[in-house]
Amino acid sequence: MKRRWFLASTVAMAVLTAGITTACGGEQSGDQATGEADAGSQVLTMATSADYPPYEFVETAGGTEEIVGFDVDIARHIAEELGYELEITNIDFNGLIPALQAGRADFVMAGMTPTEERQQNVDFSEIYYDAKQTIVFPAGGGISSTADLEGKTVGVQLGSIQEGLGQDLAETTPNMELAPLNRINEIVQELKSGRIDAAIIEDTVAEGFLANNSDLEAVEIPEEGPAGSAIAFPKDSELVDDFNQVLAEMESSGLMEELIVKWFGDGAE
Ligand code: ARG
């Protein structure tokens, strides 16, 4: 899958605002009810980790905070098609599956990859978008492959597949240390301040951060493990089939492609 680099301006704003709103900590920072409340219509609660432009991030415009992004557009469309109101709650990535298990959310959209391990605890929709992994590092750092992570401290998001990948790499890479952090913005800040040497971040998300941080560079790494994003539900949720049906309609109508171009750029496929 080939994608174009982001146009800097919109993403700059997005990254900046996501940084500000998540800087105060990882807890629920952006609960919000969305849409006009129809009397009697049912509400679906989506949990996400809004630190992941362009999938989901917090946009502050006109003094209000709103969670927006590719995942949010998809969720809104599905909720509307199925006749639900949508409510979005913002929590750390690591807390998303526990939130589903505790019944605090009806579904999760967070660029989440349907790994086998997660499938033991939650159900997933079909994959709606694919991704690759990259190593992000300070420009001029000379990292061209995973072997160059020798002796380096590498940031990853806590609970993500990048953390799993980092753990595997650390087993075979001499003196590589892993630094798991809650939010992607923290990882970027740690990189810029030199407290970590590199980070493993998904290509599309890394591109956005790179577009706004010329002091960072990235290299793609070959990865055979699971990749791509799917919607997660509590085990045996009746919503899975309905969601899959709307996803399939979005694919065939071209709406999904429209949203991909909207959020990932013209070169996206
Ligand atoms: N795709 C990766 C995973 O499922 C990372 C997702 C991180 N998402 C986020 N909203 N921070 O583990």
Side-chain angles (χ1 to χ4, degrees):
M1 180 174 301
K2 114 180 119 62
R3 298 185 198 91
R4 243 187 24 172
W5 293 81
F6 291 125
L7 289 175
S9 56
T10 40
V11 178
M13 198 49 210
V15 170
L16 186 69
T17 53
I20 292 165
T21 38
T22 54
C24 51
E27 5 13 307
Q28 310 239 341
S29 57
D31 279 28
Q32 56 179 197
T34 55
E36 292 295 307
D38 266 359
S41 75
Q42 282 188 314
V43 175
L44 278 187
T45 303
M46 159 175 156
T48 192
S49 170
D51 64 344
Y52 218 52
Y55 290 87
E56 46 264 330
F57 53 96
V58 181
E59 194 173 63
T60 45
T64 57
E65 280 189 5
E66 204 191 347
I67 298 172
V68 297
F70 178 55
D71 283 345
V72 178
D73 277 0
I74 296 173
R76 275 191 207 294
H77 177 78
I78 295 177
E80 195 180 320
E81 286 295 301
L82 299 177
Y84 291 100
E85 292 296 313
L86 184 66
E87 203 171 286
I88 303 177
T89 143
N90 184 14
I91 55 184
D92 283 350
F93 188 77
N94 199 34
L96 292 173
I97 288 184
L100 284 180
Q101 290 176 304
R104 280 184 277 117
D106 297 302
F107 68 99
V108 161
M109 281 190 87
M112 186 178 274
T113 308
T115 62
E116 262 176 44
E117 196 184 334
R118 290 176 182 155
Q119 280 171 26
Q120 288 171 9
N121 298 311
V122 295
D123 284 345
F124 281 100
S125 70
E126 301 297 330
I127 289 179
Y128 57 86
Y129 197 59
D130 232 332
K132 294 189 179 112
Q133 310 305 327
T134 62
I135 302 174
V136 180
F137 54 96
I143 295 178
S144 58
S145 74
T146 53
D148 296 325
L149 295 178
E150 179 167 347
K152 303 246 188 297
T153 303
V154 181
V156 289
Q157 184 163 41
L158 190 69
S160 68
I161 57 166
Q162 289 74 21
E163 184 185 22
L165 176 58
Q167 283 164 349
D168 292 348
L169 286 170
E171 277 175 26
T172 52
T173 312
N175 301 319
M176 173 187 148
E177 275 191 37
L178 213 57
L181 294 162
N182 271 323
R183 294 267 168 179
I184 298 286
N185 315 71
E186 294 171 45
I187 298 179
V188 173
Q189 283 318 311
E190 295 287 289
L191 260 182
K192 288 171 73 74
S193 66
R195 279 190 293 270
I196 59 176
D197 306 306
I200 307 175
I201 302 179
E202 237 151 46
D203 56 351
T204 47
V205 175
E207 283 166 15
F209 282 101
L210 256 60
N212 300 294
N213 295 281
S214 53
D215 51 343
L216 298 178
E217 239 182 86
V219 62
E220 194 176 301
I221 49 176
E223 228 299 86
E224 272 150 32
S229 301
I231 308 171
F233 304 86
K235 271 258 166 246
D236 302 321
S237 165
E238 285 171 1
L239 293 171
V240 185
D241 289 345
D242 294 344
F243 271 56
N244 273 334
Q245 200 176 330
V246 182
L247 281 177
E249 283 163 14
M250 291 176 78
E251 292 286 351
S252 56
S253 71
L255 178 58
M256 186 62 89
E257 185 55 35
E258 247 175 66
L259 294 180
I260 289 171
V261 170
K262 170 178 173 189
W263 291 105
F264 296 97
D266 280 340
E269 278 166 16

